[in-house]
Amino acid sequence: MSNTSRLANTKSRLEVRNARLSDVPAICDLTERVYADTVMKGYTQGAVRGQINNFPEGQFVIVVGSKVVGYCVTFMVDGRRALKAHTWAAITGNGYAANHDPEGDWLYGMEVCVDPDYRGYRLGQRLYNARKKLCQEKGLKGIVFAGRLPTLSKRIKKFGSVENYIEQVQNKKARDPVLSFQLHNGFEVIGVIKGYLPEDHHSMGYGIHMVWRNPKVGEGDSSVRKKAYGGRLPDTVRIGTVQYKQRRVRSFEEFVSFVAYFVDVVAEYKGDFVVFPEMLTLQLLSIEDQELTPAESIEALTKYTPRFKEALRDMALRYNINIIAGSHPTRVDAGRVENISYVFLRDGSIHQQTKIHPTPNEDYWWNIEGGESLNAILTDCGPIGVLICYDAEFPELVRHLVDQGIQILFVPFCTDERQSYLRVRYCCQARAVENQIYVVMSGNVGNLPNVANMDIQYAQSCILTPCDFPFARDGIAADTTPNVETVAIADVRPNTLMAARNSGTVKNLRDRRHDLYHLHWTGQ
């Protein structure tokens, strides 16, 4: 049975999958056969192992039964490097994909080869599709590579120059077996690289510099320098807590601009969550020319609720970050006034958590009533919980959330002076220790003239950890200078948390005496 007739067999299956180390000998054999009629050589087993080990997600094979009939190599790269002239050896690390950059913003197409006996089945198209899918899953700007011109050496006299040859192919007045295919697949020529691969005599050493731009990523200036520092491990969750200054604003749009500034800052640091303080939206009351009564204040805030939710959801999507949006006093459908923390996830979904225990101050000034529902919120970084300020002083609430599987608790707070702040801080540290979780606090600074019950602020926002060897010595992953508008950022590691729960110096969760006591939740 010939190779091509194998696919005609109804029992045959063609599969595109990631390459495995067990495929290395077959891949090497394939590349030797593909380049047999050229002076170039196939890849060594060491090079193919390097490609797979350096970026397992980026290497694809096509198999028919157990036979490898196609191979594709990619790696991630910084656009500043890939979008300017380069050589094949320099950018690929001599074929090992050794320059793979996990923080790169482009996918580099290093190789596509197809078994000559299986041509005609659009195997190259399938590999290009796999590349595009990977690029979009990674949220990269696009794919960049330098392609071959395998018929150039035979046709250069007719066209006079490589530039003219490319132009004729682009205008469909000539056809090139590789370039025409790439143009058909949405790639565009951005230049010609002389001496890209000197051994490629058929292409006369030229590489045709091409890109495909990811349609799911907005147009950006590729020349803008990208920060090459602040890297993070792949199993971490990066959190930014905003110590936010309450200040007078002249419009809702100005308020949104202040919030967007901090969202942008944390997003630039590749954050997964940005956290704002309790009563974040009370500064909207400063738009009014005079101090309002508590009842008037609530009504004034309620009219902003739809715009607030729309604006913050849009931010979460645009900046690709999950936003814990402090809290917003709201009159709900039942006529009650509740202090609600809205959570905007980067997939576009909106969640909310009502404050369970209003403080005497909130009850007196705002007639705020407590909620009855407390649920974990599922995010792309695992289940999280939100408790607003005073709620963190009730250990039963945190235990209820931990029983639902949370590993990170967010606590937006608003306190007027140091002793009030320390009540919340000490309780949050206790919750981190006794439940073996991370706790993130975010508070206000500044003041709001003509806004009742927001006279002075005291805050020292922080990210707290359990107290054990895998964590920071003092149980503080990051904190801020008190009463200064700023951001604290830290990476937390859920896997480390699970290891501490199972094999730490103390195992608070595992050692609970369920035979003696338990938490019975009667709310929603």
Side-chain angles (χ1 to χ4, degrees):
M1 181 183 294
S2 69
N3 287 332
T4 52
S5 65
R6 289 182 183 179
L7 284 175
N9 186 336
T10 57
K11 293 183 180 180
S12 295
R13 292 292 182 270
L14 187 153
E15 179 187 11
V16 181
R17 59 167 172 79
N18 284 117
R20 304 164 183 161
L21 289 176
S22 59
D23 296 323
V24 169
I27 292 171
C28 292
D29 178 67
L30 171 65
T31 62
E32 285 289 344
R33 288 185 286 112
V34 167
Y35 291 112
D37 63 343
T38 73
V39 297
M40 297 185 295
K41 297 181 179 180
Y43 291 105
T44 66
Q45 291 198 18
V48 177
R49 281 195 297 270
Q51 294 160 12
I52 296 172
N53 288 334
N54 283 318
F55 187 32
E57 299 167 80
Q59 323 314 331
F60 301 95
V61 292
I62 299 179
V63 294
V64 177
S66 59
K67 184 177 178 63
V68 175
V69 299
Y71 182 50
C72 171
V73 186
T74 70
F75 57 92
M76 292 167 62
V77 65
D78 189 328
R80 290 176 298 168
R81 181 175 189 177
L83 295 174
K84 66 180 182 181
H86 54 268
T87 66
W88 183 87
I91 202 161
T92 68
N94 285 311
Y96 284 75
N99 289 323
H100 169 63
D101 179 3
E103 297 296 313
D105 52 356
W106 286 80
L107 190 69
Y108 195 91
M110 174 176 156
E111 178 66 79
V112 169
C113 58
V114 173
D115 191 321
D117 292 336
Y118 283 81
R119 288 174 183 161
Y121 287 92
R122 300 189 178 183
L123 301 190
Q125 181 70 66
R126 296 168 196 261
L127 292 171
Y128 270 63
N129 290 345
R131 274 183 177 175
K132 290 180 178 179
K133 181 179 179 182
L134 175 64
C135 177
Q136 292 180 332
E137 288 175 346
K138 291 286 188 182
L140 304 178
K141 292 180 178 179
I143 302 169
V144 57
F145 64 86
R148 298 184 65 217
L149 294 172
T151 63
L152 178 64
S153 62
K154 296 179 179 179
R155 307 173 76 181
I156 189 65
K157 288 184 179 180
K158 177 180 177 180
F159 292 95
S161 68
V162 63
E163 290 81 5
N164 186 48
Y165 177 68
I166 293 170
E167 183 179 352
Q168 295 302 311
V169 174
Q170 288 177 308
N171 293 331
K172 298 184 179 179
K173 294 180 180 180
R175 188 181 185 282
D176 181 271
V178 176
L179 180 56
S180 296
F181 170 76
Q182 292 161 343
L183 293 171
H184 178 71
N185 272 275
F187 286 81
E188 59 182 278
V189 177
I190 61 172
V192 179
I193 303 176
K194 185 177 181 180
Y196 174 73
L197 185 58
E199 305 92 277
D200 185 3
H201 298 324
H202 289 173
S203 303
M204 301 179 65
Y206 288 107
I208 310 309
H209 209 177
M210 307 191 74
V211 299
W212 173 82
R213 303 182 191 280
N214 184 354
K216 294 185 177 181
V217 174
E219 289 288 336
D221 182 1
S222 299
S223 66
V224 175
R225 290 183 61 83
K226 178 185 174 186
K227 290 187 292 186
Y229 57 87
R232 56 183 287 190
L233 297 173
D235 62 342
T236 57
V237 176
R238 180 162 290 179
I239 300 170
T241 177
V242 179
Q243 191 156 283
Y244 186 82
K245 182 179 179 180
Q246 291 284 345
R247 74 204 88 192
R248 185 163 189 169
V249 294
R250 294 182 294 271
S251 66
F252 178 79
E253 290 72 23
E254 185 178 30
F255 161 73
V256 169
S257 72
F258 288 138
V259 175
Y261 169 80
F262 289 105
V263 172
D264 185 25
V265 166
V266 181
E268 278 293 303
Y269 280 88
K270 303 185 184 303
D272 295 298
F273 292 95
V274 57
V275 194
F276 289 93
E278 181 185 20
M279 299 294 187
L280 174 70
T281 58
L282 277 187
Q283 68 184 133
L284 291 170
L285 296 179
S286 67
I287 298 173
E288 309 295 334
D289 292 329
Q290 59 185 355
E291 184 171 338
L292 303 177
T293 67
E296 291 171 334
S297 297
I298 292 300
E299 294 305 322
L301 283 176
T302 297
K303 72 180 182 182
Y304 289 110
T305 301
R307 296 169 68 189
F308 173 71
K309 294 171 70 174
E310 180 182 2
L312 271 291
R313 179 182 181 273
D314 183 67
M315 279 186 217
L317 289 167
R318 287 182 182 275
Y319 290 96
N320 188 31
I321 194 168
N322 301 307
I323 303 174
I324 313 298
S327 75
H328 174 60
T330 306
R331 190 175 297 282
V332 298
D333 292 339
R336 297 156 46 94
V337 178
E338 295 181 344
N339 189 0
I340 299 175
S341 178
Y342 292 98
V343 177
F344 302 90
L345 300 185
R346 54 186 162 197
D347 64 3
S349 60
I350 303 176
H351 302 265
Q352 65 183 60
Q353 177 58 59
T354 301
K355 193 171 187 177
I356 305 296
H357 301 91
T359 62
N361 213 14
E362 290 173 275
D363 180 36
Y364 175 80
W365 283 98
W366 309 104
N367 296 318
I368 287 178
E369 298 184 49
E372 297 180 351
S373 177
L374 181 62
N375 296 306
I377 299 170
L378 185 60
T379 76
D380 56 359
C381 298
I384 65 165
V386 178
L387 290 177
I388 302 172
C389 198
Y390 190 32
D391 282 346
E393 299 179 30
F394 295 84
E396 298 87 355
L397 300 187
V398 186
R399 183 54 54 86
H400 180 54
L401 288 169
V402 171
D403 284 343
Q404 296 178 53
I406 76 158
Q407 296 179 333
I408 305 173
L409 174 68
F410 296 97
V411 181
F413 70 93
C414 180
T415 51
D416 54 358
E417 36 73 47
R418 182 171 171 80
Q419 66 180 16
S420 300
Y421 161 73
L422 288 176
R423 283 198 301 269
V424 182
R425 170 70 175 258
Y426 291 153
C427 288
C428 284
Q429 187 73 74
R431 303 297 87 86
V433 170
E434 66 199 16
N435 293 285
Q436 295 179 291
I437 58 174
Y438 299 110
V439 181
V440 184
M441 298 178 62
S442 176
N444 295 295
V445 298
N447 56 76
L448 286 174
N450 293 328
V451 175
N453 199 34
M454 285 290 281
D455 302 314
I456 57 175
Q457 314 294 320
Y458 185 97
Q460 185 179 19
S461 303
C462 55
I463 300 172
L464 305 173
T465 75
C467 292
D468 208 341
F469 289 113
F471 308 101
R473 185 194 67 177
D474 298 326
I476 305 169
D479 60 5
T480 64
T481 301
N483 287 348
V484 174
E485 185 172 50
T486 188
V487 179
I489 299 175
D491 289 348
V492 299
R493 305 184 70 176
N495 289 342
T496 301
L497 201 67
M498 297 307 296
R501 288 179 175 183
N502 292 313
S503 58
T505 305
V506 293
K507 299 181 278 261
N508 303 69
L509 292 183
R510 290 188 60 181
D511 290 342
R512 285 181 293 171
R513 290 289 303 274
H514 293 283
D515 57 323
L516 297 179
Y517 56 87
H518 68 278
L519 177 67
H520 177 61
W521 183 263
T522 59
Q524 298 176 8

